[in-house]
Amino acid sequence: MAHNLLKGKKGIIFGALDEKSIAWRTALRCVEEGAEIVLTNAPIALRMGEINKLAETCKAPVIPADVTNMDDLTNLFNKSMEHFGGKVDFILHSVAMGMNIRKGRSYTDLDYDFNHKTFDISAMSLHRVLQTAYKLDALNEWASVIALSYIAAQRVFPDYGEMADAKALLESIARSFGYHYGTHKKVRVNTISQSPVKTTAGAGVKGFDGFIAYAENMSPLGNATADECANYAVAMFSDLTRMVTMQNLFHDGGFSFTGVSKPVIDQMEK
Ligand code: NAI
């Protein structure tokens, strides 16, 4: 049910690859809540063409940008402001790529060129996006920026590999830039630490099915879905959460604060 929570707001959504993507689900919800959006993804991801379906439904232009390329990001913000006829009110950063994981390399056997690329795409890119917006003065006062994280930033999940370090850096950048953008323009920056979801990025993690079932059993409310994550993002983009900034917000059905659950104990006693 829509409540017009984002009426009149304009946002940029990074990372919608296919209909399972958290960014895809969020784009649909933002438009349902009255927002106007611009969609963006890496040029190589756009070649799949899937995003055009979403663009049509959302009546949104698609502007290519590799998040590691400053010229692409500058172009994205300039074109978006041109399209909106003004500045931007919200940004969803829903971008990650674990290069070593992709190449089957474990945490104790990292290739550092891949490792740099992983950090650049999955974490430094948030700094790049924020710095580009800051320098172009592309965000309205009280704008809200959300990036997606995972609890491996705080606790060890062995097969999450280098992405754990990338998420820790991502959360730190949200906090640090949140301070600077907050004092400068009242812009808020937060991360949402989401339950596992079976998407292209999620399924890249080894043993993902076991992982997702374990999280489901360990969470009093069960795993949060991509659509529920989209609802949370909408709330965070809305004016109802204006004083929330520099936070890592767990959206995980209670997983992060559960020591052990009855279903997991029952399983161990079998
Ligand atoms: P997804 O695979 O649908 O989305 C990842 C996106 O990153 C894709 O659209 C991809 O094209 C984009 N991307 C990769 N390299 C890029 C580059 N150089 N420039 C621009 N875009 C680039 O997967 P999902 O799960 O929707 O991932 C979105 C975010 O949610 C990621 O940050 C992920 O780590 C995070 N997350 C995912 C969870 C899951 O279990 N699926 C759990 C917690 C967080």
Side-chain angles (χ1 to χ4, degrees):
M1 204 171 74
H3 304 85
N4 265 336
L5 285 174
L6 303 182
K7 191 158 189 267
K9 293 201 186 287
K10 298 163 171 58
I12 302 179
I13 307 256
F14 287 79
L17 183 67
D18 57 33
E19 60 183 20
K20 290 198 231 87
S21 299
I22 297 169
W24 189 292
R25 313 313 308 170
T26 307
L28 290 174
R29 280 297 286 125
C30 288
V31 170
E32 228 174 79
E33 290 295 336
E36 269 180 73
I37 59 167
V38 162
L39 295 165
T40 182
N41 209 324
I44 191 158
L46 296 181
R47 263 181 245 147
M48 279 173 50
E50 280 284 289
I51 203 172
N52 296 331
K53 287 190 236 160
L54 179 65
E56 213 171 289
T57 313
C58 294
K59 297 187 178 47
V62 181
I63 303 175
D66 180 326
V67 286
T68 63
N69 183 311
M70 295 309 282
D71 292 337
D72 282 7
L73 290 174
T74 302
N75 179 60
L76 169 67
F77 277 104
N78 281 332
K79 290 258 168 68
S80 298
M81 286 193 286
E82 222 174 275
H83 168 74
F84 291 140
K87 296 183 195 178
V88 176
D89 299 296
F90 65 90
I91 297 175
L92 179 74
H93 174 290
S94 186
V95 174
M97 171 77 78
M99 294 296 286
N100 277 287
I101 295 175
R102 237 180 142 191
K103 306 281 179 183
R105 297 184 75 131
S106 70
Y107 192 70
T108 50
D109 180 36
L110 292 184
D111 173 290
Y112 293 111
D113 289 335
F114 292 156
N115 194 222
H116 277 148
K117 193 87 190 143
T118 295
F119 288 173
D120 201 1
I121 295 175
S122 311
M124 282 172 60
S125 60
L126 178 62
H127 196 285
R128 290 178 184 273
V129 166
L130 287 165
Q131 184 164 297
T132 307
Y134 192 98
K135 288 189 174 166
L136 292 174
D137 192 19
L139 302 188
N140 279 319
E141 278 201 356
W142 299 105
S144 173
V145 180
I146 290 289
L148 287 168
S149 194
Y150 184 60
I151 194 174
Q154 287 80 28
R155 295 211 239 140
V156 174
F157 293 80
D159 291 327
Y160 205 68
E162 63 182 348
M163 279 305 295
D165 302 337
K167 291 304 191 194
L169 178 57
L170 181 80
E171 290 175 13
S172 179
I173 289 170
R175 203 162 37 240
S176 301
F177 223 118
Y179 171 83
H180 291 285
Y181 228 149
T183 52
H184 178 62
K185 268 256 152 142
K186 298 200 176 340
V187 168
R188 51 217 192 80
V189 188
N190 294 285
T191 48
I192 293 179
S193 185
Q194 162 65 22
S195 295
V197 181
K198 203 158 184 176
T199 58
T200 305
V205 178
K206 204 169 109 202
F208 191 77
D209 287 339
F211 209 61
I212 211 167
Y214 172 73
E216 173 76 20
N217 282 327
M218 273 289 284
S219 311
L221 302 180
N223 286 330
T225 64
D227 283 324
E228 284 158 342
C229 187
N231 282 339
Y232 195 27
V234 164
M236 288 306 300
F237 294 148
S238 82
D239 290 334
L240 298 178
T241 54
R242 266 192 165 196
M243 296 308 280
V244 184
T245 193
M246 299 160 68
Q247 304 297 311
N248 179 47
L249 305 161
F250 288 107
H251 183 255
D252 62 1
F255 177 86
S256 43
F257 279 73
T258 303
V260 75
S261 66
K262 181 88 173 50
V264 170
I265 289 186
D266 290 347
Q267 190 71 31
M268 296 307 290
E269 284 181 337
K270 265 187 196 157

